[in-house]
């Protein structure tokens, strides 16, 4: 089974998928950080393509950057100055060639994640 990476972002404050949220994927090797992909969530809070497709999959350390502040701005959530959550970095390892799913549950003042299926 080939490996690949997906996500799903839910806006828990509104009870809806987080549509229009920019996500970047970086591969981490030591102190080097290489941008692999930039995507935006669709109306279901998912990306239209895998964040890391099977043909580019490698085990290793990665970082997802969720641009929460911009999403909250476009969603009309009043902003404090500075906004409590702006950029959310999630660094994680993928040690097996399998499907990794890293969802984000988001509100203006907190978030959570887990290894999904």
């Amino acid at each position: 089974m080939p490996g690949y990476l997906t996500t799903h972002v839910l806006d828990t404050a509104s009870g809806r998928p987080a549509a229009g949220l920019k996500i970047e994927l970086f591969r981490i090797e030591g102190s080097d950080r290489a941008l692999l992909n930039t995507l935006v969530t669709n109306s279901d809070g998912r990306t239209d393509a895998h964040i890391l497709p099977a043909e580019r999959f490698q085990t290793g350390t990665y970082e997802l950057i969720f641009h929460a502040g911009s999403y909250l701005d476009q969603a009309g959530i009043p902003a404090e100055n500075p906004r409590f959550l702006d950029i959310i970095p999630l660094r994680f390892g993928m040690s097996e060639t399998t499907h990794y799913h890293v969802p984000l549950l988001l509100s203006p003042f907190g978030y959570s994640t887990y290894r999904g299926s």
Side-chain angles (χ1 to χ4, degrees):
M1 176 176 168
Y4 60 99
L5 174 65
T6 59
T7 192
H8 188 196
V9 185
L10 297 173
D11 180 335
T12 58
S14 70
R16 294 187 303 250
L21 191 144
K22 178 181 170 184
I23 302 169
E24 296 172 306
L25 174 68
F26 292 85
R27 180 167 171 82
I28 309 298
E29 293 190 51
S31 61
D32 293 334
R33 193 171 173 253
L35 178 64
L36 300 180
N37 208 351
T38 302
L39 298 163
V40 176
T41 56
N42 60 25
S43 62
D44 192 36
R46 301 174 189 273
T47 57
D48 289 331
H50 295 156
I51 297 171
L52 184 59
E55 61 272 8
R56 295 181 60 201
F57 185 89
Q58 294 179 35
T59 59
T61 302
Y62 291 85
E63 186 173 65
L64 284 169
I65 303 292
F66 294 90
H67 291 263
S70 297
Y71 163 77
L72 294 168
D73 289 346
Q74 78 178 14
I77 307 297
E80 60 284 350
N81 189 17
R83 190 177 276 288
F84 180 69
L85 290 177
D86 185 19
I87 303 295
I88 299 173
L90 296 178
R91 190 167 289 192
F92 58 96
M94 296 191 291
S95 60
E96 303 171 47
T97 304
T98 189
H99 175 203
Y100 283 82
H101 184 67
V102 181
L104 183 75
L105 305 176
L106 173 65
S107 79
F109 298 103
Y111 67 92
S112 66
T113 189
Y114 54 95
R115 181 176 171 181
S117 58

